[in-house]
Amino acid sequence: MPPRIALGRSLRAIEFQSRCSKSSPSVSALCFRPATRRYITADEKPLPTANTSDLGPNQERLPHVSEEAAEMAEITGESRPDIDQGTPIQEVLQRDPESQEKAPQVIQDDMKSTTPKGARPYSTSARRQQEAMITFEDDEVELPGHKFGLPELPLQSTANMKHRYDPVIVQVTNLLMQDGKLSRAQTKMARILNYLRTTPPPTVNPNRPLIPGAPPASHLPLNPVLYLTLAIDSVAPLLRIRSQKGAAGGGVALQIPVPLGLRQRRRQAVMWILDAANKRRSAGSGKGMFAQKVAQELVSIVEGKSALWDRRGGIHKLAVSARSNLSTGRRR
């Protein structure tokens, strides 16, 4: 068995001390004491005052803008500033003699000038009304607030934002566009026009003349848009061949020529030009090579060296030979 512990003896030897109680944090009361104020009495020394006579280097009084302008006018020999353009400050100063002494020297000199009493040397409201009035008798009408003159009526066809480009440029750009990327097509169009502008003037072949009314070949690089339009309209076909099945009897197709409109002719010509540009050999690599090949094809058309002339002539010959079929196609 474990030994027994004599609690009586052990309690006599152990001294129990009182447990120290932890002092709980007591919130000290806030004492609001009024701040001591210092009052200046007769016995105390008064506060020092600033001496306005001794000014520092950065405390000098600057001259008024009108005084400075008057001094510059005397030096340069120009006319003094016109005080009458602003608010009638002279009338306000006449009621306050104390402010007259502090007024700029230019205004003081202007007030001393001989002016009839009761009459104002100018009228701001009348001047503004006179400027706002528009006399239609004059040929030139000037409206305040317009940076540029008003447009003349009737408006030009290119005055609208949606129609600011030439119709040929818009049509060719849309045909150059792929996958709906208009910005790339516009970049190609700009490179084509730049090539036409910077190349030497073409040499026109008399056997393959351009459309009537064309300017001289030396003037074409000066206007690349006209250069492009001339090349497209010159090679554009006037007709197209439509095949009508069973018109000749026995299921045989009949060739019928159909005239084309202006936009249809230009579209057909542009499609031919793009097809011929794709078949050209590339002189290098880069994003601008296709635009360069299209521009070279345009130059060859104007010079009469392109194969599109033969293609156009072949369609016209076929249309002339099939003109007798027009009556058959009209009946059906």
Side-chain angles (χ1 to χ4, degrees):
M1 295 179 62
R4 297 181 179 178
I5 300 175
L7 296 176
R9 297 179 182 178
S10 60
L11 291 175
R12 294 176 183 175
I14 297 174
E15 296 181 358
F16 290 93
Q17 298 180 359
S18 62
R19 187 176 182 181
C20 297
S21 62
K22 295 182 180 180
S23 61
S24 60
S26 61
V27 180
S28 61
L30 298 177
C31 298
F32 295 96
R33 296 180 181 179
T36 57
R37 298 182 180 179
R38 182 180 180 183
Y39 300 95
I40 299 177
T41 59
D43 300 337
E44 296 182 3
K45 185 179 180 181
L47 295 176
T49 57
N51 189 5
T52 57
S53 59
D54 300 336
L55 298 177
N58 298 330
Q59 296 179 352
E60 296 181 359
R61 181 172 175 270
L62 296 176
H64 196 266
V65 178
S66 56
E67 294 179 354
E68 185 178 356
E71 294 178 0
M72 293 296 298
E74 293 179 359
I75 295 173
T76 57
E78 299 177 356
S79 61
R80 301 181 65 183
D82 191 1
I83 308 301
D84 297 340
Q85 296 293 334
T87 308
I89 192 63
Q90 292 84 352
E91 296 183 3
V92 180
L93 294 177
Q94 286 177 1
R95 307 167 193 166
D96 192 359
E98 184 179 354
S99 301
Q100 294 181 13
E101 301 176 358
K102 300 179 181 180
Q105 188 65 29
V106 179
I107 299 180
Q108 294 180 8
D109 297 344
D110 185 74
M111 293 177 62
K112 293 178 182 179
S113 61
T114 57
T115 305
K117 295 183 179 180
R120 181 176 291 183
Y122 63 92
S123 177
T124 308
S125 59
R127 182 174 301 170
R128 291 178 180 174
Q129 291 177 4
Q130 185 178 4
E131 292 177 357
M133 291 177 61
I134 301 174
T135 56
F136 292 94
E137 297 178 359
D138 301 338
D139 296 337
E140 297 180 359
V141 179
E142 296 181 359
L143 296 178
H146 293 277
K147 186 175 181 180
F148 303 100
L150 296 178
E152 298 180 358
L153 297 178
L155 297 177
Q156 300 179 1
S157 59
T158 57
N160 193 343
M161 184 193 68
K162 296 183 179 179
H163 306 286
R164 61 187 182 274
Y165 299 120
D166 191 87
V168 179
I169 299 296
V170 176
Q171 187 174 8
V172 176
T173 304
N174 292 336
L175 293 175
L176 285 171
M177 182 172 54
Q178 295 180 353
D179 302 331
K181 298 179 180 178
L182 181 60
S183 59
R184 289 190 179 182
Q186 291 175 347
T187 303
K188 294 177 182 179
M189 190 73 251
R191 289 172 179 170
I192 291 171
L193 296 177
N194 188 34
Y195 185 90
L196 297 178
R197 183 179 59 85
T198 54
T199 50
T203 303
V204 180
N205 188 359
N207 297 328
R208 291 175 176 176
L210 303 176
I211 58 177
S218 59
H219 296 177
L220 292 179
L222 302 177
N223 193 349
V225 178
L226 179 61
Y227 200 162
L228 174 68
T229 307
L230 187 64
I232 293 175
D233 290 347
S234 298
V235 79
L238 301 176
L239 304 165
R240 71 179 180 89
I241 305 300
R242 178 173 62 88
S243 298
Q244 186 172 357
K245 296 183 179 180
V252 179
L254 194 65
Q255 304 292 334
I256 300 175
V258 179
L260 298 177
L262 179 60
R263 286 184 58 85
Q264 292 175 335
R265 297 201 310 267
R266 288 176 175 174
R267 184 185 184 280
Q268 188 63 43
V270 172
M271 297 303 294
W272 288 355
I273 292 171
L274 297 180
D275 188 18
N278 285 325
K279 297 178 181 179
R280 277 180 169 267
R281 294 184 57 184
S282 298
S285 60
K287 297 181 179 180
M289 287 308 303
F290 181 73
Q292 183 177 354
K293 291 191 294 184
V294 173
Q296 291 175 357
E297 186 65 26
L298 293 171
V299 174
S300 63
I301 289 173
V302 175
E303 293 180 348
K305 301 178 181 178
S306 177
L308 300 181
W309 287 100
D310 299 333
R311 188 172 183 177
R312 175 177 180 268
I315 290 181
H316 286 181
K317 289 181 180 179
L318 183 59
V320 170
S321 62
R323 60 184 176 179
S324 59
N325 301 332
L326 290 175
S327 59
T328 305
R330 190 179 296 115
R331 283 199 306 267
R332 297 183 63 87

